[in-house]
Amino acid sequence: MLLKGFMEKIFCNACPRHCNADREVGRGFCGVPDTFLIAHASKHFWEEPPLCGKGGSGTIFFSGCNLRCVYCQNYEVSHKAKGIFMTDEELEAAMLRLADEGAVNLNLVTPTQYAERLIPILKSFKAKCDLPIVYNCGGYESVEMLRTLGGLVDVYLPDFKYASGELAKKYSAAPDYPKVAEAALEEMLSQVGKPVFDETGLLKKGVIVRHLVLPGNRQNSIDVLKLLADRFGTKNYLLSLLWQYTPEFAKNSPYPELHRRVTTFEYRSVADLAVSLGFEGYFQEKESATSDFTPLFEGTEH
Ligand code: SF4
């Protein structure tokens, strides 16, 4: 949370990093000030099918990130925090413009570092527009902050990146990631419940958990699926298994396993496990190192 301190200064502890940073004059781990830095706002057609429909997902990409993974596929935005400054009013206007253009939802991408500042804007947006609000994040969220979003967010779209703290430390400097992400997912599920679709197949409420298969880390993916199935079952949310890893951004990292693409064997074996555990959700095609989703796992009905 943003805590008022001495002389009414605001110190940021909004996420599990607990930087206690004064973002009026400096920056914490996420690398952004307290005013909105926005990388992009447009309709986007490459999310999971029930988030796009024909109108596209109205995405707002927030600059900065509280994870900054070494292989991040969005390096310029997350690590370098590139973007343009927007006032609160300008951001709400951008949201309403996306709604006017026919977006089927409002998709907040990497919003964690701005979550508290977003609350009054989302309240105002919701009073004017009934589009579902999608909170699209890395899964490294504080439960306390998530609770302040209860009733505002309709769809949670978190990653679940790691089952191993060691791996989370190595790639994302977040050794507590598995426990934090587990608690966050529990809170998300308690807020929005099981997936609810409209008559056209668009997701109106619920959780989609994303997992990006990483090269050389098949065991991590297997452990993530088993952790999710053991802890949360496989029918209370949808799983989206991503194959879009590209090594371009990790090529200078000291981890040689990240310097190649994911093999067909790696992805397919994880996908086979997802099906055998009973998950429902979405696969990606190999070419989607661009981002095309095949519709659904076997047995999913919508
Ligand atoms: S939101 Fe940013 S500054 Fe605040 S605690 Fe998290 S990483 Fe640190």
Side-chain angles (χ1 to χ4, degrees):
M1 307 293 288
L2 297 169
L3 296 178
K4 288 192 177 183
F6 183 63
M7 300 283 286
E8 291 300 302
K9 274 201 163 299
I10 307 275
F11 298 99
C12 184
N13 290 284
C15 86
R17 293 281 175 200
H18 297 295
C19 299
N20 209 33
D22 177 356
R23 287 169 56 182
E24 276 184 25
V25 294
R27 303 187 183 195
F29 184 93
C30 58
V32 285
D34 63 347
T35 47
F36 288 114
L37 250 183
I38 304 299
H40 199 58
S42 70
K43 292 203 298 175
H44 187 55
F45 290 86
W46 295 278
E47 305 287 25
E48 288 77 356
L51 295 177
C52 292
K54 290 189 178 145
S57 183
T59 44
I60 307 264
F61 288 85
F62 294 87
S63 302
C65 181
N66 74 336
L67 279 170
R68 295 169 52 188
C69 310
V70 295
Y71 52 81
C72 180
Q73 310 289 285
N74 221 355
Y75 188 86
E76 296 288 313
V77 174
S78 61
H79 285 243
K80 294 194 174 172
K82 289 196 173 168
I84 57 163
F85 285 104
M86 276 193 191
T87 63
D88 298 14
E89 293 73 23
E90 287 168 336
L91 180 58
E92 188 183 351
M95 293 173 174
L96 291 167
R97 176 178 54 77
L98 289 169
D100 283 346
E101 290 173 359
V104 300
N105 52 44
L106 178 68
N107 185 350
L108 309 173
V109 184
T110 322
T112 309
Q113 58 278 12
Y114 289 114
E116 182 154 342
R117 195 171 184 125
L118 275 167
I119 288 170
I121 298 171
L122 295 181
K123 283 182 179 163
S124 175
F125 177 83
K126 258 187 150 24
K128 296 170 189 153
C129 178
D130 64 357
L131 288 186
I133 291 176
V134 181
Y135 191 89
N136 180 342
C137 66
Y140 195 58
E141 306 290 315
S142 99
V143 168
E144 193 184 6
M145 176 55 79
L146 288 173
R147 285 189 182 135
T148 68
L149 296 168
L152 291 172
V153 172
D154 301 287
V155 175
Y156 281 105
L157 184 57
D159 295 331
F160 206 109
K161 295 172 184 288
Y162 313 109
S164 148
E166 204 175 311
L167 203 62
K169 180 179 177 190
K170 182 175 164 187
Y171 293 158
S172 302
D176 57 349
Y177 181 94
K179 284 286 160 219
V180 166
E182 201 178 313
L185 181 53
E186 182 177 24
E187 173 62 24
M188 292 173 191
L189 287 165
S190 79
Q191 282 184 24
V192 296
K194 288 188 175 185
V196 176
F197 296 85
D198 72 7
E199 61 290 351
T200 68
L202 291 172
L203 188 61
K204 306 306 271 185
K205 231 171 181 34
V207 178
I208 301 178
V209 177
R210 283 177 165 170
H211 176 70
L212 175 67
V213 180
L214 294 171
N217 284 288
R218 196 171 72 92
Q219 190 58 49
N220 176 58
S221 294
I222 290 168
D223 293 344
V224 164
L225 294 190
K226 288 182 173 171
L227 184 160
L228 289 172
D230 286 349
R231 181 72 173 76
F232 302 105
T234 57
K235 306 298 182 197
N236 298 318
Y237 55 95
L238 296 159
L239 177 72
S240 180
L241 201 57
L242 303 178
W243 198 346
Q244 64 194 48
Y245 178 85
T246 59
E248 185 185 347
F249 300 103
K251 61 181 184 273
N252 296 323
S253 82
Y255 309 118
E257 70 276 16
L258 295 177
H259 297 173
R260 65 164 172 84
R261 289 180 186 272
V262 171
T263 65
T264 300
F265 168 73
E266 285 172 319
Y267 184 83
R268 290 283 174 221
S269 63
V270 176
D272 287 347
L273 176 65
V275 170
S276 71
L277 287 171
F279 280 104
E280 297 179 349
Y282 310 93
F283 290 127
Q284 267 187 316
E285 293 301 324
K286 187 172 188 179
E287 301 68 47
S288 60
T290 62
S291 262
D292 292 322
F293 285 88
T294 52
L296 301 163
F297 292 168
E298 298 256 326
T300 309
E301 287 171 357
H302 21 266

